[in-house]
Amino acid sequence: MSEFALLAINAIFMANVMTYFGYGVIGLQTDKKNFLYLIISCATTIMGVIIGGSIVFALVNYVLIPLDVIFLKTFIIVFISLIMSYLSRLLIKYTSKEAFYLYEKSYQFAAQTILLVGIMLVFDYSLSFLIGIFLVTMYCAGYILVQLLLYAIYDKLDNAHNLKPARNVPLMLYTISIIGIILSAIGMLF
């Protein structure tokens, strides 16, 4: 049980793809307008990561490794991420058309694809299936943790109060950098 707790802490804090690796930073800009849209978007992203991670795990271990074509792994990850992002956008559209048309931005599909690719690239496919799915789920828990933390402060961030030379950089990037340093420090303790 303690091994799973350490794996969970490591995946949520140390290997948090939102902060530590930075793959999810692009997705932070659009989900903060409405809490319902944030929850629906995070839920569909997490479903896409878990289903896509399972598919990639099966393809890598049962097709690519036996055929000795492991170099195709990145292409397969990107392809499955695109499919999962598209299905996720469709699910959001059918769940809440009002939220979809009000809060969906043209680059949200690309942002979610980058996030899915990032999580699937970080994943270690040499582990057993159950441990792998557990780690992917904990990566998603870290993703939703950061999303909820930043939802609360998103409206409070105002670039007008920032130092004049630094106003071209979105204040959200400063905030996510600080949270990344904190989460990495917490992860180093374990």
Side-chain angles (χ1 to χ4, degrees):
M1 184 65 178
S2 64
E3 293 177 16
F4 283 109
L6 288 175
L7 282 173
I9 289 170
N10 181 40
I12 290 172
F13 294 112
M14 180 69 173
N16 190 321
V17 293
M18 289 295 293
T19 55
Y20 189 71
F21 290 102
Y23 293 121
V25 173
I26 190 170
L28 291 169
Q29 298 296 327
T30 60
D31 291 345
K32 304 299 176 293
K33 305 293 185 198
N34 182 294
F35 189 71
L36 176 64
Y37 180 72
L38 170 76
I39 295 299
I40 292 171
S41 179
C42 287
T44 57
T45 300
I46 289 171
M47 286 185 342
V49 166
I50 292 173
I51 294 169
S54 301
I55 293 170
V56 170
F57 180 87
L59 286 174
V60 166
N61 286 317
Y62 301 117
V63 176
L64 297 183
I65 291 176
L67 294 176
D68 197 27
V69 288
I70 196 71
F71 59 89
L72 292 174
K73 180 177 82 170
T74 305
F75 173 75
I76 289 173
I77 288 173
V78 172
F79 183 71
I80 292 192
S81 295
L82 285 168
I83 292 171
M84 290 297 136
S85 294
Y86 181 72
L87 292 175
S88 172
R89 297 294 107 194
L90 283 177
L91 189 60
I92 290 173
K93 185 176 181 180
Y94 289 122
T95 303
S96 175
K97 286 189 179 186
E98 179 183 2
F100 179 80
Y101 288 112
L102 283 176
Y103 303 111
E104 183 75 13
K105 304 294 181 212
S106 61
Y107 54 86
Q108 185 68 14
F109 176 79
Q112 189 174 20
T113 304
I114 290 170
L115 180 65
L116 290 170
V117 168
I119 291 174
M120 289 188 208
L121 284 176
V122 170
F123 181 62
D124 185 12
Y125 295 98
S126 64
L127 301 172
S128 71
F129 180 73
L130 291 177
I131 298 249
I133 292 302
F134 178 74
L135 280 177
V136 166
T137 305
M138 291 301 111
Y139 289 156
C140 293
Y143 163 71
I144 200 163
L145 173 77
V146 173
Q147 288 283 0
L148 292 174
L149 282 173
L150 291 179
Y151 175 79
I153 62 172
Y154 186 77
D155 290 332
K156 305 286 185 226
L157 297 176
D158 185 5
N159 213 20
H161 299 299
N162 202 0
L163 296 172
K164 193 170 186 174
R167 284 187 188 155
N168 291 333
V169 178
L171 201 53
M172 184 62 75
L173 293 181
Y174 295 128
T175 309
I176 196 69
S177 298
I178 292 168
I179 291 175
I181 291 168
I182 292 169
L183 291 179
S184 297
I186 291 171
M188 294 289 186
L189 294 175
F190 298 99

